[in-house]
Amino acid sequence: MSQELYTNVTIFVMSVLVGFEVISKIPATLHTPMMSGANAIHGAVVIGAILIALEAQSPLFYGLAFIAVFLGSVNVAGGYVVTDRMLTMFSKPKKPKNESDDGGDK
């Protein structure tokens, strides 16, 4: 294995450990706003996967790039759906319209 591969694996492992430490320290009340910010980060991940796909040289790498773009896109879409559901929990419930109320005097 090359020195570049060792360096890349080391950077990946360190980023996983730092990411876990940062996420584990966030209180539960901040998860909804943080999820919205994470959607923007995942959008950058999708763009990065597309850029890597441009450099692919074999069908295996094309397949891996497609899977990376697909999973990143699903993650972005799912994040927005979950964020929308969480935000609707904090909105005021709509009043049901009373059919007998015409708005006039009785």
Side-chain angles (χ1 to χ4, degrees), residues 86-105:
M86 287 181 165
L87 291 176
T88 57
M89 291 184 340
F90 297 107
S91 65
K92 292 181 180 179
K94 294 182 180 181
K95 278 186 171 179
K97 185 176 179 182
N98 191 355
E99 292 178 14
S100 65
D101 186 15
D102 296 344
D105 293 334

